[in-house]
């Protein structure tokens, strides 16, 4: 049974659309026989609702779902490894350990996903919370409760889910790099400029209330 690639996405922003095409090209070139779908959301983007709805429609409980954000890339080997581990174990598998963010000029200069995977980064973080490239069986995702749809707009839905996966003992990481493609500047709290500040503030407060951790 082939894994299902799910790419959450919203809006018509030119930069984000360009990044989405890069991600789609990656799967066309490396995994042409893997079915994929775009988990659409209205604006403000509710990533949790988009993913929950799409994954909830998967009929086979044991089917592995690849969550790949529309602006992130790992190598084919990392994606394949994450799927292999999620297939045999009830884990939520991050396909990377080092999150790398590409800058505006570097992203613009990348003509393909191959260029992006080889490009230098302007910022990095070890074991970041982004679920930008990860794999999980549908039944494991649902047993964990899915993503919390109260996180409406940008941010923190992934971190709160990650905390539940950590506490359940099912979070795993494979060594490697993830590259995040630029799609606009960010504020001091790391939120994108096109995110609504009130949404970010509300989501941060909800994260703290649910996890007991500072945002």
């Amino acid at each position: 049974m082939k894994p299902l690639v799910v790419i959450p996405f919203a809006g018509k922003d030119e930069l984000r659309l360009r990044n989405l095409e890069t991600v789609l090209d990656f799967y066309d070139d490396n995994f042409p026989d893997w079915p994929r779908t775009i988990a659409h959301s209205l604006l403000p983007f509710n990533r949790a609702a988009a993913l929950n709805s799409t994954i909830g429609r998967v009929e086979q409980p044991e089917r592995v779902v690849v969550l790949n954000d529309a602006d992130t890339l790992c190598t084919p080997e990392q994606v394949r490894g994450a799927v292999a581990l999620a297939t045999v174990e009830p884990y939520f598998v991050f396909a990377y350990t080092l999150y790398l963010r590409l800058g505006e000029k570097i992203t613009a200069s990348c003509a393909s996903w191959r260029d992006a995977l080889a490009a230098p980064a302007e910022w990095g973080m070890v074991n970041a919370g982004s679920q930008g490239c990860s794999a999980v069986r549908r039944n494991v995702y649902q047993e964990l409760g899915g993503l919390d749809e109260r996180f409406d707009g940008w941010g923190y839905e992934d971190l709160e889910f990650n905390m539940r996966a950590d506490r359940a003992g099912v979070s795993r990481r494979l060594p490697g790099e993830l590259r995040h493609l630029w799609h606009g500047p960010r504020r001091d709290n790391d939120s994108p400029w096109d995110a609504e500040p009130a949404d970010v503030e509300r989501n941060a407060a909800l994260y703290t209330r649910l996890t007991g951790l500072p945002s």
Side-chain angles (χ1 to χ4, degrees):
M1 181 165 46
K2 302 296 183 182
L4 173 66
V5 180
V6 179
I7 303 171
F9 188 75
K12 298 180 180 179
D13 177 82
E14 181 178 350
L15 292 172
R16 292 181 186 272
L17 286 168
R18 182 179 186 270
N19 293 343
L20 172 63
E21 286 302 317
T22 301
V23 173
L24 293 173
D25 288 345
F26 170 86
Y27 281 98
D28 280 344
D29 292 343
N30 293 286
F31 306 102
D33 58 338
W34 288 10
R36 63 171 185 258
T37 185
I38 297 177
H40 288 284
S41 168
L42 299 175
L43 293 174
F45 186 39
N46 190 314
R47 181 175 177 272
L51 287 175
N52 288 350
S53 175
T54 302
I55 295 172
R57 293 194 297 271
V58 175
E59 295 181 354
Q60 306 91 342
E62 300 292 321
R63 188 170 200 171
V64 172
V65 177
V66 177
L67 310 183
N68 205 121
D69 285 348
D71 54 13
T72 56
L73 292 167
C74 287
T75 67
E77 293 74 22
Q78 288 166 254
V79 176
R80 192 174 290 110
V83 168
L85 182 54
T87 299
V88 299
E89 297 288 351
Y91 296 149
F92 185 87
V93 185
F94 295 85
Y96 74 98
T97 47
L98 179 59
Y99 175 99
L100 297 173
R101 188 172 288 162
L102 307 187
E104 178 180 7
K105 292 181 179 179
I106 291 296
T107 298
S109 71
C110 293
S112 71
W113 60 266
R114 294 178 180 84
D115 295 337
L117 286 177
E122 67 174 16
W123 182 84
M125 181 178 183
V126 175
N127 292 345
S130 170
Q131 298 171 347
C133 187
S134 49
V136 63
R137 291 204 303 255
R138 192 267 276 173
N139 60 336
V140 174
Y141 180 87
Q142 293 192 314
E143 286 166 8
L144 287 168
L147 290 162
D148 193 322
E149 298 181 19
R150 289 175 291 178
F151 291 95
D152 197 24
W154 183 88
Y156 297 96
E157 83 291 333
D158 49 358
L159 302 183
E160 192 276 331
F161 179 95
N162 296 347
M163 177 58 65
R164 282 185 274 130
D166 287 342
R167 289 173 175 171
V170 299
S171 181
R172 297 291 187 275
R173 286 186 182 266
L174 298 182
E177 298 174 348
L178 175 145
R179 280 172 166 76
H180 178 274
L181 303 169
W182 192 89
H183 50 70
R186 290 177 177 262
R187 297 187 176 91
D188 290 342
N189 63 3
D190 203 43
S191 65
W193 270 106
D194 57 1
E196 174 58 50
D199 292 342
V200 177
E201 184 177 351
R202 184 195 62 248
N203 288 348
L206 176 60
Y207 171 79
T208 297
R209 186 166 78 248
L210 293 174
T211 67
L213 299 173
S215 58

